[in-house]
Amino acid sequence: MKSVRARIDGVSEEHIPPVVREVQVDEDAVTIDPALPAFLAPPEDAPAYHGFPVVAESEVDGWRLGMITGFGVEGDGYVIAPDDGRAGLIWTAEGAGYFRAGHPQFCDEVCGPDEYTWGVFSVGVRLPLRGPGDARAYLAALVPRLRPFWAARTARPLEAGQLDPASDPRPNGLQAGKQP
């Protein structure tokens, strides 16, 4: 097999330090192969992100935060909506990463819905997410940005004052993406 080296801004791949994040595992999740963690061997009827832990302290209005990687200034996770529907998150916190000037938070769609999720989103909130104690405030700030996408994909009506992702005029604001 041929190996391909990526170049970013004139820097070869071997000069980019690797980003190492610890994967979080839900030790209580059911696995169909006891030799493997549940996220690698989920039961046939398992929801998306089965085997990764849900942060118990994160619940906000029926929404919950799940973690794929550990806490810090950026990572991977997921959100569980009140109907148990799930969406992936590529998250950043505390102003790290991809914040745009003047925007204290963002929510951009990375992938549209599929048979398992109602999408994957790149999100950021300028609040800490250093541990479970920060999860509720972080999620509370994020839910108003995620709720319109979830509502649009589950035929739920928007409540007064909620953003409609399809009508956001900002070029770098919410991205409407594909509607089902």
Side-chain angles (χ1 to χ4, degrees):
M1 177 182 255
K2 184 178 177 182
S3 175
V4 177
R5 295 271 180 206
R7 293 185 64 82
I8 301 171
D9 294 331
V11 178
S12 67
E13 184 180 90
E14 58 266 5
H15 292 103
I16 299 172
V19 176
V20 179
R21 294 189 181 96
E22 185 177 333
V23 173
Q24 304 297 296
V25 178
D26 180 353
E27 299 291 342
D28 296 327
V30 175
T31 178
I32 60 170
D33 182 344
L36 295 173
F39 69 87
L40 291 177
E44 189 173 317
D45 61 346
Y49 308 109
H50 176 80
F52 297 108
V54 176
V55 182
E57 300 89 339
S58 70
E59 197 276 323
V60 175
D61 297 331
W63 293 75
R64 295 171 288 154
L65 182 66
M67 300 299 286
I68 296 171
T69 60
F71 294 95
V73 294
E74 59 186 29
D76 298 295
Y78 61 102
V79 65
I80 304 172
D83 67 352
D84 286 329
R86 296 167 185 228
L89 301 177
I90 304 162
W91 60 267
T92 188
E94 299 185 61
Y98 308 101
F99 285 91
R100 291 175 287 280
H103 294 280
Q105 57 192 23
F106 66 90
C107 178
D108 295 327
E109 185 173 44
V110 175
C111 298
D114 60 26
E115 62 185 295
Y116 305 105
T117 71
W118 45 273
V120 176
F121 301 87
S122 174
V123 300
V125 175
R126 289 191 192 271
L127 294 172
L129 192 52
R130 297 182 200 138
D134 295 332
R136 188 171 196 288
Y138 188 91
L139 184 59
L142 192 56
V143 165
R145 294 290 191 161
L146 290 169
R147 185 178 277 127
F149 287 100
W150 170 70
R153 292 177 179 158
T154 59
R156 303 217 184 262
L158 288 174
E159 295 173 12
Q162 289 181 342
L163 295 172
D164 178 355
S167 67
D168 190 334
R170 295 173 294 159
N172 291 321
L174 295 171
Q175 302 296 314
K178 299 176 218 122
Q179 298 296 319

